[in-house]
Amino acid sequence: MPDCASFLPQVNKPARYINREINAIYKKDSQVKLRFALIFPDAYEIGMSHLGLHILYHILNFRKDIAAERAYAPWPDMEKLLRAHKRPLCSLESQRPLKEFDILGFTLPYEMCYTNVLNILDLAGLPLKAGERSKDFPLVIGGGSAVHNPEPLADFFDFFLLGDGEEAILEIADLYSKWKDSRTDKTSLLNSLSDIEGGYVPSLFRPEYKESGQISAITPLYTGYNQVKRRIAADLDQAAYPTAPIVPYTGIVHDRINIEIARGCAQGCRFCQAGMTYRPVRERSPKRIAKLIEDTLANTGYDEVSFSSLSSGDYSCWGGLLDIMKKYESQKISISLPSLRAGTLSSEIIQQIKKVRKTGFTMAPEAGTDRLRAVLNKGITHQDIMDTAAKVFKAGWSTLKLYFMIGLPTETKDDLQGIVDIVNEINQLAKKVCGRYPKKINIGISHFVPKPNTPFQWCAQESLESFAAKKDWLIKRLKRRNFHFKWQHPLVSSIEGLLARGNRRMGQVILSAWRKGAKFDSWLDQFNYSYWQDALADCGIDAQNYAARKHCSDEIFPWEHLYCRLDRDFLFTEYQKAQKAELTPNCMQDKCIKCGVCTDGIKPQIKNDTATVSVINEDSVGINKNNSPANRFRLRAKFSKTGRLRFLSHLDVNRTIIRAINRAGIPINYSKGFNPHPKISFAGALAVGTASIAEYFDLEISIPLEAECFKERLNKHLPAEMQILEAKNIPIGISSLAKTSHYFVYQISVPIETDGLKGTINQNEPKTFNEHKTYIKEFMALPQIIIEQNNKQIDLKPLIVRLKAIDLNEYGLSLELILNSQIKPQKIIQKLYQPGSFMQAGLKIKRAAIWNKDEKCGLL
């Protein structure tokens, strides 16, 4: 099977591709009947943060006869190498080409990943269009938030799942396995898939168009298959949930345990697709949440938990959640609530959040005035916002994030001025409450994009010119040193608007844009608006017909045959109420609002659970609450970093070690103060790509533990390519590794060919071993060895303690290099031989030792 290990030295972030993460699952071919690739069409650090992918990975792999593996969109540098070497895109776990899987399951979280879907199919060697793929190719299916209107991708997919996937995913797998055994044609498979609740087979419907390009009808092509109804997981307590999620080595966007405490939202914000389409509200009980946290902490080693939901403050059993937060407070396990609505936060909740560690605090007013928030049905007032900000500042926060949207329906200049007023008033409020201005107010501004299955699906999207003018207007009026803006680019928002409400004809635009080079369109440094402009022109598509016009009340939408269980009449009534700024009450706090969701036995699941969660016995687990001398013990450990793990950064290594210590149940002492950190220090950062058999860290723990026992316990929780080689108990008073000076000893192998050094531009290059020794001696005799780094000249000569040729054989030239600085050894070799391509192709560097500079001996 193709293995891209040789590409790792040549890409910017090799840790995206190194594989073998903690809790990843590997199965033997002999055990497996069905191979299922779970694909996230964005970079690894985005996809690994997606909770849905972890849930499906857990459910599928729980079955012994199914192997679920992952794949992500390769970054352009890796894609370039794959194409240049004619390598197919493979799964992460087994490095099996995606073309060899039975099912390719794409998560479709947002519209701007659509070109990545086509790129992945192409890299996998599959025909892009579903109609061109015979039964010999994998079945291509999709699910996720964007499937509420999958029509722009309809020509490329065999099947979509509308709604929750916990139960449906196994139904799909079983049906495919049965079909696979029957060896019938692909049509019979697609017909069978249409029987699955939530299952959408786009080839079984045909849209018809008016001359204007609008939909005139959507014709079913399979008898009895007229509408697709969203699948709903009715009881989250009964739904499968992973307690051993994959733990990445490298940093990801949401690098913590995610516990979904509730699904759905009853607030009814009229712009919010998730709030509308994830109804009804279903909660997990505090007892179930507590068990999930306990098991997941033990299996991952994380020290942060996030309570995930659309509105955590609306959870009905906050007493139980507070008990859970108190339980883990003394273990320095922080619990965050990323989705909190102003007005739902009590002082007790805020006080509990801050007790472990504080970063920033986030609020989303969305609009600048109470009038416009009523249009949105946001359900919060100006006073709610100020009251919440006051509580946050009183609790000690100095950084606040505020999220707003511009371009909203009925928005006026007064509403924009309201944004300015809110930010300035919050800034002054901090001065009044705390005696100083906030350290930072981060202001996030996004552009309104009308989304399907919301009351605003009838609305027009504002022009690029209008967005730009409003942006400039706000910036001129919010100029303070502690105000920091983050903007969603209007060009990206304009394409998102086209795709969000696009029909199948938009698929040709996506294909054309991809062929021109579009990919990673949600990344501003990769997005190219001209690709999309040219694609629209090539396909004869008028953008005005999709996003920029107001839609008629009786217009047939491209997603009309996909029933998300919200009645169209309800959505239009909400649209009309928005024009009059009329509020609709939260149905969980008031009467049923007749949205249409609660039918067929589907209803809200509210856990009015008053049972408390037992608090941990701190003395029984040796938790050190005050870092007193009686509970302070230090160890020094020497460890390796070899194989693929040599591509981890220093921060990645730090994370990996700390999480392994946590999994091993070894209680780490923490620093005090605003943001406590584990008391661990490392001897020196190692360059990415450099192997080592001599890395060191000092650790302070709260229980006495013999060094050999520590080594044995920790190695059980570390990967094979990162093992503790030696450990030693050391006194508390000894200087930490971070504060002592060291010599760094490297063994280097420079690739040599029979006709000389690979890639060299030196015409008088050495050939024999003695010539190399002489060449190095002359190099070291130079008065200065100058390199350019960060627009500065650096003299390497004082940093080199010794550079010596050791051997010359068929594998290359062996060198020993000793440095008194952490400068990368590659810099020395580049200056020594001025190589071309050999640096990435075959240069091998290993740190062999670290010496104490004063004693010129090892650290253990």
Side-chain angles (χ1 to χ4, degrees):
M1 296 179 188
D3 190 338
C4 299
S6 61
F7 298 159
L8 296 182
Q10 304 176 60
V11 297
N12 184 40
K13 291 187 178 180
R16 289 168 168 156
Y17 314 101
I18 59 176
N19 195 2
R20 295 284 165 183
E21 306 104 313
I22 304 302
N23 296 331
I25 296 171
Y26 303 86
K27 295 185 178 180
K28 295 179 181 179
D29 289 349
S30 59
Q31 300 174 330
V32 173
K33 182 179 179 181
L34 178 73
R35 292 197 170 275
F36 203 126
L38 294 169
I39 304 172
F40 196 93
D42 210 326
Y44 174 90
E45 57 267 34
I46 308 296
M48 274 294 290
S49 302
H50 192 268
L51 177 59
L53 188 141
H54 286 282
I55 291 173
L56 297 181
Y57 187 85
H58 163 76
I59 291 170
L60 289 167
N61 278 313
F62 189 77
R63 283 266 298 268
K64 292 182 180 180
D65 60 335
I66 300 175
E69 301 184 17
R70 295 162 296 138
Y72 304 93
W75 199 250
D77 54 0
M78 177 59 86
E79 180 196 342
K80 184 178 180 181
L81 290 166
L82 290 172
R83 293 192 185 278
H85 292 83
K86 294 181 169 54
R87 298 280 187 89
L89 185 61
C90 298
S91 67
L92 205 56
E93 280 81 356
S94 68
Q95 291 295 299
R96 182 182 298 272
L98 294 183
K99 193 175 181 179
E100 296 179 10
F101 281 77
D102 296 302
I103 302 175
L104 304 184
F106 283 86
T107 296
L108 301 171
Y110 33 77
E111 294 84 359
M112 300 309 291
C113 69
Y114 287 174
T115 52
N116 279 4
V117 171
L118 302 194
N119 205 45
I120 289 170
L121 291 174
D122 186 64
L123 286 167
L126 272 65
L128 297 183
K129 294 197 173 181
E132 298 170 1
R133 295 192 296 266
S134 70
K135 68 175 184 177
D136 297 323
F137 287 100
L139 183 74
V140 178
I141 70 175
S145 302
V147 172
H148 289 288
N149 177 28
E151 291 303 285
L153 290 178
D155 289 341
F156 310 109
F157 278 76
D158 298 305
F159 174 86
F160 294 101
L161 179 71
L162 180 65
D164 298 332
E166 285 95 335
E167 298 164 348
I169 195 71
L170 290 178
E171 294 174 17
I172 295 166
D174 288 339
L175 196 152
Y176 184 94
S177 293
K178 184 178 178 180
W179 170 81
K180 187 178 177 182
D181 291 338
S182 72
R183 299 180 180 275
T184 55
D185 60 19
K186 187 175 179 179
T187 300
S188 66
L189 171 63
L190 297 178
N191 291 343
S192 298
L193 286 168
S194 70
D195 291 333
I196 293 175
E197 186 178 23
Y200 173 42
V201 181
S203 62
L204 299 182
F205 291 86
R206 183 181 65 242
E208 298 173 14
Y209 300 89
K210 301 176 183 178
E211 287 186 12
S212 64
Q214 296 171 27
I215 301 284
S216 62
I218 300 173
T219 304
L221 303 177
Y222 184 56
T223 303
Y225 186 50
N226 302 319
Q227 186 184 65
V228 178
K229 185 181 289 187
R230 176 169 65 98
R231 186 69 171 262
I232 295 177
D235 190 342
L236 293 193
D237 270 354
Q238 301 302 315
Y241 202 87
T243 55
I246 299 168
V247 182
Y249 291 122
T250 191
I252 60 175
V253 174
H254 300 299
D255 208 1
R256 60 187 73 92
I257 294 171
N258 282 305
I259 300 296
E260 185 188 32
I261 62 172
R263 191 176 301 178
C265 178
Q267 181 56 45
C269 296
R270 292 169 179 138
F271 63 88
C272 181
Q273 187 182 52
M276 289 289 169
T277 58
Y278 286 176
R279 294 181 177 203
V281 173
R282 290 146 289 159
E283 295 182 343
R284 279 191 171 86
S285 65
K287 185 176 180 180
R288 174 70 170 145
I289 291 168
K291 180 60 175 171
L292 290 174
I293 293 175
E294 180 181 353
D295 293 345
T296 310
L297 285 171
N299 291 327
T300 63
Y302 276 115
D303 61 1
E304 183 178 355
V305 178
S306 175
F307 283 158
S308 171
S309 76
L310 291 175
S311 180
S312 300
D314 291 322
Y315 183 75
S316 65
C317 307
W318 255 105
L321 293 188
L322 286 170
D323 285 343
I324 293 170
M325 296 170 80
K326 292 172 184 176
K327 170 179 177 177
Y328 291 106
E329 174 191 329
S330 58
Q331 298 178 61
K332 301 301 179 185
I333 304 295
S334 65
I335 295 181
S336 61
L337 299 140
S339 301
L340 286 168
R341 239 175 0 100
T344 64
L345 284 172
S346 68
S347 296
E348 186 181 12
I349 294 172
I350 291 175
Q351 289 296 326
Q352 192 59 48
I353 292 171
K354 77 166 190 174
K355 284 188 176 178
V356 175
R357 60 181 68 91
K358 297 193 292 287
T359 52
F361 199 98
T362 302
M363 282 197 297
E366 306 293 3
T369 62
D370 284 347
R371 183 203 69 82
L372 189 52
R373 281 188 290 273
V375 170
L376 305 182
N377 205 47
K378 183 70 180 173
I380 59 172
T381 65
H382 184 86
Q383 192 59 50
D384 291 330
I385 296 166
M386 294 305 147
D387 289 347
T388 300
K391 292 174 185 176
V392 168
F393 291 136
K394 285 178 183 177
W397 267 271
S398 61
T399 298
L400 191 64
K401 297 178 186 176
L402 299 171
Y403 286 119
F404 298 94
M405 276 193 290
I406 59 174
L408 289 160
T410 78
E411 184 179 75
T412 68
K413 212 61 168 292
D414 289 341
D415 300 308
L416 293 179
Q417 182 62 48
I419 293 175
V420 175
D421 294 343
I422 286 174
V423 176
N424 283 325
E425 188 172 343
I426 285 176
N427 195 51
Q428 292 297 326
L429 181 64
K431 182 77 183 302
K432 180 180 178 181
V433 170
C434 306
R436 62 185 182 277
Y437 291 115
K439 181 180 179 182
K440 188 185 293 186
I441 295 180
N442 293 314
I443 307 160
I445 306 287
S446 63
H447 306 99
F448 167 66
V449 177
K451 289 296 177 89
N453 295 304
T454 69
F456 288 167
Q457 65 185 353
W458 284 276
C459 295
Q461 185 175 8
E462 283 204 347
S463 67
L464 291 172
E465 294 76 16
S466 177
F467 280 142
K470 290 179 178 181
K471 170 185 172 182
D472 292 342
W473 190 91
L474 286 170
I475 288 176
K476 287 178 183 178
R477 286 157 179 79
L478 288 170
K479 287 186 175 181
R480 288 187 67 98
R481 291 178 61 184
N482 62 331
F483 293 174
H484 299 264
F485 279 97
K486 184 177 181 181
W487 293 90
Q488 182 181 1
H489 201 287
L491 294 177
V492 175
S493 298
S494 69
I495 300 302
E496 181 185 348
L498 288 175
L499 299 176
R501 293 189 293 183
N503 56 37
R504 291 195 189 184
R505 289 179 174 177
M506 191 57 66
Q508 294 306 307
V509 177
I510 297 169
L511 180 59
S512 177
W514 169 74
R515 284 175 173 161
K516 295 175 188 301
K519 66 192 74 161
F520 286 102
D521 293 302
S522 60
W523 297 72
L524 196 54
D525 62 338
Q526 302 294 318
F527 177 72
N528 188 322
Y529 185 62
S530 67
Y531 292 151
W532 290 94
Q533 282 183 307
D534 294 344
L536 286 164
D538 291 350
C539 298
I541 298 292
D542 180 10
Q544 180 75 20
N545 196 39
Y546 287 85
R549 69 175 178 87
K550 186 176 178 180
H551 289 58
C552 300
S553 61
D554 59 350
E555 184 170 334
I556 298 174
F557 289 114
W559 55 91
E560 205 74 51
H561 53 308
L562 307 177
Y563 181 47
C564 74
R565 295 177 183 260
L566 287 169
D567 288 345
R568 182 181 170 117
D569 288 345
F570 163 76
L571 292 174
F572 192 71
T573 298
E574 285 295 296
Y575 169 68
Q576 292 175 313
K577 291 174 74 173
Q579 310 308 309
K580 297 178 282 188
E582 289 184 14
L583 288 168
T584 296
N586 182 322
C587 67
M588 303 307 299
Q589 300 169 1
D590 207 306
K591 63 183 180 180
C592 176
I593 58 174
K594 307 296 182 184
C595 67
V597 169
C598 295
T599 57
D600 301 333
I602 300 297
K603 58 182 181 179
Q605 291 284 326
I606 304 303
K607 305 293 182 180
N608 293 311
D609 188 350
T610 57
T612 58
V613 179
S614 61
V615 177
I616 193 167
N617 182 347
E618 297 169 352
D619 296 329
S620 68
V621 294
I623 294 169
N624 184 14
K625 294 181 285 186
N626 54 16
N627 286 348
S628 65
N631 292 325
R632 297 180 64 196
F633 306 90
R634 286 183 72 192
L635 291 136
R636 176 166 293 174
K638 175 184 179 182
F639 67 97
S640 61
K641 192 182 93 163
T642 59
R644 290 193 175 199
L645 294 197
R646 72 185 188 275
F647 293 105
L648 296 184
S649 71
H650 181 65
L651 286 176
D652 294 338
V653 171
N654 192 318
R655 272 189 292 261
T656 301
I657 294 287
I658 290 172
R659 288 170 185 167
I661 292 168
N662 289 338
R663 289 193 300 275
I666 300 169
I668 308 174
N669 280 343
Y670 278 74
S671 63
K672 296 180 180 180
F674 186 80
N675 196 8
H677 291 283
K679 290 192 171 182
I680 185 170
S681 62
F682 289 79
L686 191 65
V688 172
T690 303
S692 177
I693 55 170
E695 296 302 286
Y696 293 85
F697 66 83
D698 285 351
L699 175 71
E700 185 178 308
I701 61 177
S702 62
I703 59 173
L705 189 64
E706 290 299 319
E708 196 59 30
C709 179
F710 170 79
K711 172 186 169 183
E712 183 179 338
R713 283 175 64 173
L714 190 52
N715 276 342
K716 290 178 181 178
H717 295 273
L718 283 169
E721 295 167 323
M722 185 181 290
Q723 288 282 291
I724 305 298
L725 305 176
E726 298 178 57
K728 179 181 178 180
N729 297 98
I730 60 174
I732 283 290
I734 196 170
S735 295
S736 74
L737 291 171
K739 296 180 180 179
T740 53
S741 300
H742 306 111
Y743 286 133
F744 302 95
V745 183
Y746 297 93
Q747 294 173 352
I748 301 172
S749 176
V750 182
I752 299 290
E753 290 183 341
T754 55
D755 59 347
L757 188 68
K758 287 184 182 178
T760 184
I761 59 173
N762 187 342
Q763 298 301 315
N764 301 313
E765 66 180 36
K767 301 291 192 301
T768 67
F769 181 60
N770 284 332
E771 286 176 353
H772 277 290
K773 291 175 68 175
T774 302
Y775 181 74
I776 291 170
K777 186 175 180 180
E778 292 172 352
F779 176 78
M780 290 301 297
L782 294 171
Q784 288 184 313
I785 304 173
I786 302 297
I787 65 166
E788 292 282 339
Q789 182 170 294
N790 299 327
N791 297 320
K792 295 181 180 179
Q793 287 194 338
I794 297 176
D795 184 5
L796 299 177
K797 183 71 179 290
L799 310 181
I800 303 172
V801 177
R802 184 163 73 211
L803 177 59
K804 180 180 178 182
I806 303 298
D807 189 23
L808 179 65
N809 53 44
E810 71 251 44
Y811 300 108
L813 176 67
S814 296
L815 304 174
E816 180 185 68
L817 173 65
I818 303 177
L819 301 172
N820 62 18
S821 166
Q822 290 187 53
I823 192 164
K824 295 178 180 180
Q826 289 93 329
K827 300 285 186 184
I828 313 294
I829 305 305
Q830 283 177 330
K831 190 65 177 179
L832 175 63
Y833 285 114
Q834 299 185 3
S837 62
F838 87 86
M839 268 296 298
Q840 293 185 338
L843 183 69
K844 295 180 180 178
I845 302 176
K846 179 172 71 176
R847 184 183 277 174
I850 300 179
W851 296 343
N852 186 305
K853 187 181 286 189
D854 296 328
E855 302 169 13
K856 294 188 179 180
C857 62
L859 301 181
L860 278 177

